[in-house]
Amino acid sequence: MPFDVKTNPLLDLSGLPRFDAIAPEHVTPALDALLSQCRAAVERATEPATAACWTSVVEPLDEALDRLGRAWAAVSHLNAVLDTPPLRAQYNANLPRLTQFFTELAQNEALYAKYKAIAARDDFGSLAPARRRVIENELRDFRLGGAELPPPAKERLRAVRERQSQLATRYAENVLDATNAFALLIDDPRELAGVPQDTLQMLREAAQAEGKDGYKLTLHAPSYLPVMQYADDRALRERLHRAYATRASEFGRAEWDNTQPMIELLRLRREQAALLGHRDFAELSLVPKMAESPQQVLDFLRDLARRARPFAERDMAELQEFAARELALPQLQAWDIAYASEKLRQARYAYSEQELKQYFPEPRVLGGLFRVIETLFPVVIREDRAPVWHRDVKFHRIESPAGELLGQFYLDLYAREHKQGGAWQDDARPRRRVGGRLQTPVSFLTCNLSPPAGGRPALFTHDEVLTLFHEFGHGLHHLLSRVDEPAVSGIRGVEWDAVELPSQFMENFCWQWEALQLLSAHVDTGEQLPRALFERMIAARNFQSGLFMLRQVEFGLFDMLAHTALDPAATDAAALLRLMDEVRREVAVVPQPPYQRMPWTFTHVFAGGYASGYYSYKWAEVLSADAYAAFEEIGSTLDPGLGRRFLDEVLAMGGSRPAMDSFVAFRGRKPLIDALLRHHGMSA
């Protein structure tokens, strides 16, 4: 297949992706050409005459794989943010080809031998630390990929991995399709009593966009969450809750039921682990992570549950007493929790999330976020131009104070149909240096925040501001790397249970007065967040923190036990529900209705990279809370000196050394759990 950049924009890798020109019909021809190039590079690297050295083996492979990775990054990103039937068909047709190629690569004995020979060279110790780390990681990944297996086992592992990728994609598509399929049109505004005016305006505009009167409610977060939090109509809340909690399950359309994809994924993961000599998938999953064993993770999660449970029980008792006394709700149900909690917050702290939201219009929040970053780190953020996939997408560049380009990022903020839910950072391309040429990193930063409505800018809840800072933490990890080897540059090569360190670290600034002065301005008056409202917000920071902690532990325990305690051969929907019930009996205090099907939409675990890894949010929060405590100890929220040290020792180092080494280099010691407990109001 000729490499024709004129007729196929996916093959034009001279600069940024040409999102204004990419069409579904470009995908397969581009993959034909790029996979052919990659296979040719592998053949050259594995020839007996090719010297086993960095420049003859690693660099040529990096070049070919970089081209393939950048093209596929554009395709997979479009599939996530602008899902259409033709694009989905192309994505699903080509994903198995990618999986097959990378499985073949990981099992290539001749290539494995070249990497072992590089590691055995007398001059291996003189390689730069990042390059040694690349070789060590590759040797580990060859073993995990099955390079040492006999041919029949290799073939079976290839089939297992290809099927897993297909099932994970199907799982995510089922969640998206089931979410998009639900819509409720409300004609009488009295049925939406209690719902804030800006949300009503958004719901009205959603109906008008389809040529209808009234208010269109959906299961997308900006619509679903405020209705559950504010709507006085209990029957409406129950209806929405049931629709949300039963998505992609047996309660909906059969073709969107995730029961079989989940069960088959669990069986295939156990088989993958057995082929590679591991007891279960959790044990296999932890090989490249910080945690040493599934039991260590389970002990960690249960210790958090033990510490949090008294606080969660107190939270729930207070909520039940308040709901019975003030809201005429003697028996709280799952669809009452958000509503009653918001009422209690207002009663106890004299402010509402809706009141706070008026101080976080999008232009002020983004400008403040950039100011926080520019204060902490020696960088400048400027607007930039590039082809984009939707009119709402923004594009920026990060420069050094001297004007040197460090990286660029796309920012896709709002929820919309045909866009996967949640928030994430993905790399469009990594930092990479070949000779004297530097390829600067580019990041996709994607959220599902509240869109503008009623001619006003988008207004963000404080939780949405936290989400934005969280994803920018991931983005900074990718964009501010100083490592030139792509396999360990930025977020690549970082242990999965440390990946959340920069993201959760950045969330802390959303609670600080100095930073909030930069982030806030009333949408109508321009007034900054009043100090009194800030104080009430801080007083409420740990409102129901026990409940939140147990919720995260519940998810982490279910994930780990699903991959260790369940017998996949005997697993069915009933077994998954029994496991969920057992976990809830152990750690949860909030009752759930029998129709709750949380695992059926647990995309982190069944369609993302968090299988046997959901615990990493809390694991990394120990690191992030302790890292931020360094600022608390000197009493300076936005200290540029500490910010520069965090940049130098954590962000800039990427995956070029173990995450613990980076943490210790910044903090001067290993992490302690004290700051995490203090930040959640659980100190002794």
Side-chain angles (χ1 to χ4, degrees), residues 93-106:
N94 283 283
L95 180 62
R97 302 174 66 201
L98 267 293
T99 305
Q100 179 185 14
F101 168 73
F102 282 107
T103 302
E104 290 172 358
L105 196 66

Side-chain angles (χ1 to χ4, degrees), residues 62 134 137-138 430-431 484-489 491-494 655:
D62 276 351
V134 169
N137 287 354
E138 289 291 344
R431 178 183 169 107
D484 294 337
E485 311 306 336
V488 291
S489 177
I491 208 165
R492 297 185 179 190
V494 177

Side-chain angles (χ1 to χ4, degrees), residues 353-476:
E353 289 283 2
Q354 180 62 21
E355 178 185 4
L356 192 58
K357 183 178 180 180
Q358 307 306 308
Y359 289 92
F360 293 124
E362 178 193 325
R364 181 69 175 184
V365 171
L366 281 183
L369 167 62
F370 296 164
R371 287 278 302 281
V372 167
I373 293 169
E374 291 170 342
T375 303
L376 285 171
F377 312 120
V379 301
V380 179
I381 300 177
R382 304 184 190 280
E383 289 187 9
D384 206 346
R385 294 178 62 84
V388 295
W389 53 92
H390 191 276
R391 62 181 180 276
D392 292 335
V393 176
K394 300 172 175 64
F395 188 68
H396 290 79
R397 63 196 283 120
I398 300 184
E399 300 176 348
S400 71
E404 175 194 7
L405 177 63
L406 302 177
Q408 295 160 295
F409 60 90
Y410 300 89
L411 188 57
D412 188 350
L413 288 176
Y414 313 135
R416 60 177 178 269
E417 291 189 5
H418 310 297
K419 179 181 179 182
Q420 290 182 7
W424 66 91
Q425 186 277 152
D426 241 334
D427 66 76
R429 74 181 188 206
R431 178 183 169 107
R432 180 169 172 268
R433 188 182 297 275
V434 181
R437 178 175 62 87
L438 177 65
Q439 174 178 286
T440 53
V442 180
S443 177
F444 297 123
L445 293 165
T446 309
C447 299
N448 274 273
L449 308 183
S450 303
R456 307 166 94 202
L459 298 177
F460 298 150
T461 66
H462 189 251
D463 281 346
E464 289 179 321
V465 176
L466 285 166
T467 296
L468 188 58
F469 269 68
H470 180 103
E471 298 310 328
F472 258 90
H474 286 310
L476 293 172

Side-chain angles (χ1 to χ4, degrees), residues 10 40 72 92 119 137 149 177 192 233 257 412 458 497 563 595:
L10 282 171
W72 186 247
N92 287 336
N137 287 354
L149 294 177
D177 291 344
L192 294 170
D233 188 334
D257 185 355
D412 188 350
D497 39 10
H563 292 96
Y595 61 70

